Amino acid sequence: MKEINKMLDQEVNQVNLIHSYQEACSNKEFKKFIETLPIEEEILMKYTSNLEDAFEEEKNCKNCKSLACCKNKVVGYRYTPEKEKSIIKFSYQACKWNQLAMKENAYKENLELFDMPIEIKEASLKEVYTDDKSRVPIIKYFKEFMEKYQKKENPKGLYLTGSFGSGKTYLIAALLNEMAKKKVRCALVYYPEFLRSLKSSFQTDYNERFDFIKTSPVLLLDDIGAENESNWARDEVLGPILQYRMQNHLATFFTSNLTLEELESSLAITSSGVDKVKARRIIERIKQLTIPMELIGKNRRN
Ligand code: ADP
Ligand code: MG
C-alpha cells in the first residue's frame, strides 16, 4: 500500500511540474529565454520557478544602463542557470557593468593606504586643476617620472612643499594611482599617524608595518614634519627607511608644509635635545631620493 501511495505522489508531482512549466511557457518571452539554454526540456521542467527568477533578472539586465540602475536581487549580479550533468545549477554571475567596474577598479588593489582617506584612491591626473600655473612643472615632472620608471631608470621622487590645502597630497596621490594602473605597488602613508600607530604596535606587528613601508616599490610619506619629533622617530624609523630606500633605488615621495630647511631645523630639535648632525643626515637622504618642488596655491579645502 505504501509503495502505491508513493508512486501516486510521484505521479502527481510530475503532473504538477509539467503543468507549471507549460503555464510559464505560455509567456512567449520566457519560452524564448529557455530556448536559448542548451538544456533538455525534461530537465528544465524541474526548475520552472528558479528559471522564472533567472528570466526576470535577465530582463532587468537587458534594459539596464548602469550599475546604479540595477534592479536585481544582488546588485551587479545575475541569477544564472547552468547545466551540470542531469541537473541545473544556479549561481550569481557578475553583469557586464559590474565586470567593467571591477576592471576599472582593479588598480586599487595595488594601493596600500595607511591612515589616508579612502577617496584618495579616486584622485586622478585628468582632474587636476589646470587653472593654476604652479602645477604645470609638477605635472611635467610626473610624465618624466613615469617614462623613466617604465624604463627602470630609477627616477627620483618629489619633495613637494607648499601651503596647507594647496593640493599636494591630491597631486602625488593622482600620480601614484596612475602608477597603480600600471601594476606598480604603491603605499600612501599619512606619516604623523603612521608614527603613532607604529609606536603602539611594538608588541604586535611592528616589524611587518615597518618593513612594508620600507620596501614598498613606490612610497608617499604624506605631511612629514607635522609629527612631534622624537629621537626614536628620527633615528629608528625615518633614518632606516630612507637609508634602505636610497640603497635600493626605491621611488619615494614626500609632501610637507615645511621646506627642506625648515624640516632640518624641526628634525634637529627633539624632546631629548638638539642634534644638528642627525637632522642633516636625514635631509641628505631626502635630497638623494627626491627633487624639491613647491606648490603654491589657494586653500582648496572647504
Ligand atoms: P594639501 O595636501 O596641500 O594640504 P590636499 O591635497 O589635501 O592639500 O587638497 C586639499 C583639498 O582639495 C582636498 O579636499 C582635495 O581632495 C582637494 N583637491 C586638491 N586638488 C584637487 C583636484 N585637482 N581635484 C579635486 N580635488 C582636489
Ligand atoms: Mg596633505
Side-chain angles (χ1 to χ4, degrees):
M1 192 67 183
K2 256 188 185 171
E3 279 304 300
I4 297 175
N5 276 345
K6 204 173 161 194
M7 272 167 63
L8 276 173
D9 275 354
Q10 279 175 349
E11 214 154 298
V12 170
N13 276 345
Q14 186 65 15
V15 171
N16 283 344
L17 281 180
I18 296 173
H19 182 72
S20 46
Y21 177 73
Q22 284 172 341
E23 203 170 278
C25 286
S26 62
N27 177 341
K28 278 187 192 144
E29 296 293 315
F30 176 78
K31 185 102 180 44
K32 233 190 236 168
F33 166 69
I34 55 167
E35 277 167 4
T36 62
L37 306 172
I39 306 173
E40 302 85 334
E41 262 199 325
E42 309 84 79
I43 301 176
L44 286 172
M45 268 177 209
K46 298 178 189 162
Y47 300 89
T48 305
S49 154
N50 298 61
L51 287 168
E52 281 177 319
D53 290 346
F55 165 64
E56 282 306 319
E57 297 226 326
E58 148 129 342
K59 231 170 35 182
N60 290 341
C61 283
K62 256 187 198 150
N63 305 317
C64 178
K65 300 270 182 294
S66 76
L67 216 48
C69 308
C70 178
K71 287 185 184 157
N72 286 352
K73 230 182 219 163
V74 184
V75 172
Y77 290 86
R78 200 175 77 201
Y79 191 56
T80 312
E82 203 178 347
K83 189 182 163 195
E84 212 179 277
K85 293 188 183 145
S86 60
I87 60 165
I88 302 180
K89 283 208 163 160
F90 290 83
S91 61
Y92 286 94
Q93 299 288 328
C95 72
K96 65 173 177 184
W97 299 119
N98 195 5
Q99 283 179 24
L100 191 70
M102 286 196 273
K103 210 168 141 195
E104 279 174 3
N105 284 314
Y107 76 93
K108 292 180 183 170
E109 299 283 311
N110 295 324
L111 295 164
E112 201 66 45
L113 303 187
F114 289 80
D115 304 301
M116 299 283 281
I118 187 84
E119 308 83 64
I120 209 73
K121 290 190 179 187
E122 308 294 335
S124 154
L125 282 179
K126 284 191 201 101
E127 310 234 332
V128 167
Y129 302 121
T130 47
D131 57 344
D132 189 342
K133 286 209 174 69
S134 62
R135 273 158 228 269
V136 176
I138 300 169
I139 301 288
K140 220 168 139 186
Y141 182 72
F142 282 179
K143 282 193 183 143
E144 211 179 300
F145 175 88
M146 283 194 279
E147 279 166 23
K148 286 190 177 165
Y149 195 91
Q150 296 245 289
K151 290 190 214 154
K152 298 194 170 25
E153 289 177 13
N154 305 323
K156 286 188 176 191
L158 282 187
Y159 181 87
L160 189 58
T161 183
S163 52
F164 174 83
S166 56
K168 302 180 294 296
T169 302
Y170 188 96
L171 256 184
I172 305 281
L175 170 70
L176 268 46
N177 290 348
E178 210 56 51
M179 300 295 290
K181 285 174 192 166
K182 297 187 191 312
K183 302 204 167 27
V184 180
R185 285 191 302 111
C186 304
L188 292 81
V189 179
Y190 182 63
Y191 188 63
E193 191 51 44
F194 173 71
L195 276 181
R196 275 190 285 274
S197 58
L198 190 66
K199 209 171 188 173
S200 60
S201 69
F202 273 126
Q203 307 290 336
T204 54
D205 55 350
Y206 182 93
N207 287 338
E208 283 91 332
R209 280 163 181 265
F210 184 78
D211 286 346
F212 191 92
I213 302 299
K214 197 173 80 173
T215 58
S216 177
V218 177
L219 174 68
L220 163 64
L221 292 182
D222 191 46
D223 237 348
I224 191 169
E227 67 281 6
N228 286 330
E229 286 307 337
S230 72
N231 282 2
W232 166 77
R234 182 191 59 204
D235 306 332
E236 309 295 329
V237 181
L238 190 56
I241 289 177
L242 301 186
Q243 179 72 14
Y244 182 89
R245 299 190 66 81
M246 229 173 70
Q247 284 167 344
N248 292 281
H249 308 290
L250 298 174
T252 311
F253 290 81
F254 301 85
T255 73
S256 181
N257 293 336
L258 307 180
T259 63
L260 274 173
E261 292 71 30
E262 288 165 340
L263 182 67
E264 185 170 346
S265 310
S266 159
L267 286 169
I269 306 162
T270 68
S271 45
S272 336
V274 178
D275 195 329
K276 287 188 176 173
V277 176
K278 285 189 172 145
R280 176 105 283 248
R281 212 175 285 152
I282 297 278
I283 298 300
E284 285 309 320
R285 287 177 191 159
I286 295 180
K287 282 183 175 168
Q288 284 277 325
L289 284 163
T290 63
I291 293 173
M293 281 199 175
E294 200 177 4
L295 182 64
I296 307 159
K298 59 181 180 200
N299 186 353
R300 308 261 176 188
R301 293 182 196 215
N302 338 315

